[in-house]
Amino acid sequence: MSSELNVPMGSPAPGERVQDGGGMDYRDWVRRSYLELVSSNHHSVQALSWRKLYLSRAKLKASSRTSALLSGFAMVAMVEVQLEMKYAYPPVLLIAFSVCTTVLVAVHLFALLISTCILPNVEAVSNIHNLNSVSESPHERMHHYIELAWGFSTALGILLFLAEVVLLCWIKFLPVDHVVPTKSPSPNPEDKPKSSSGWKAALASTIIMVPVGVIFVLFTIHFYRSLVRHKTERHHQEIEELHKIKVQLDGHERGLQTV
């Protein structure tokens, strides 16, 4: 909806005849201008629908790839983690790791399910080179599900994955220097660990990951606010252009009534 929606310049005065191969009065010129405006507006609406379709397809592809990757990492982390049987883990740590991994896999699999179900239908329509075929795509009706999959895969899923990394570091490093050593023939008191290096390693990973999580949340909020602001500005511009077109059409209608 840009300059192509503007009414052609050089409009004839009321009662004046325009020579366009044949005689055309002011009333015919207004009718032809109105049809051109309606046609251009129809093409602009179709172009907007196609942009929404391509955006929905890109979101579904990104969600499916991200969800498959992160859910696979979470499953491998749970399967490959080796717990020290000689160390008494805090029950809260084990419960938190189990819950976080389960929720992480469930969230990503749900996003993957939505993407797998909707993406083939969107892809089938996007491969048809016909402007009128955009109405056959379910991306408008399934808009809320697409946004839900996008949010689960990018925002909530990545945040849970960061928490998963922190919990995994605590489980792997916390038993270090706390495992009961094997009996030696001549035990030396100086062989006991002076400090828990495993606890320090887990704490260091937590200290690093907390600012990363805060930055991630702030970036997500800033990104969505900027995106909403951009869409709002674009809608305001389109409304102003429509208002200008309405004023021009009202002026031509008044001129037509005076003929």
Side-chain angles (χ1 to χ4, degrees), residues 12-26:
E16 181 182 353
R17 299 185 65 85
V18 180
Q19 299 296 330
D20 187 12
M24 183 181 66
D25 57 7
Y26 179 72

Side-chain angles (χ1 to χ4, degrees), residues 8 15 24 50-52 73 80 83 87 90 98 104 106 118-119 127 164 170 177 182 208 234 237:
M24 183 181 66
W50 277 102
R51 286 197 297 270
K52 291 181 179 180
F73 281 160
E80 295 296 331
L83 301 178
Y87 178 75
S98 176
L104 174 63
I118 302 178
L119 185 58
N127 293 329
E164 175 84 3
W170 279 98
D177 298 336
T182 58
I208 294 174
R234 287 296 304 164
Q237 292 177 0

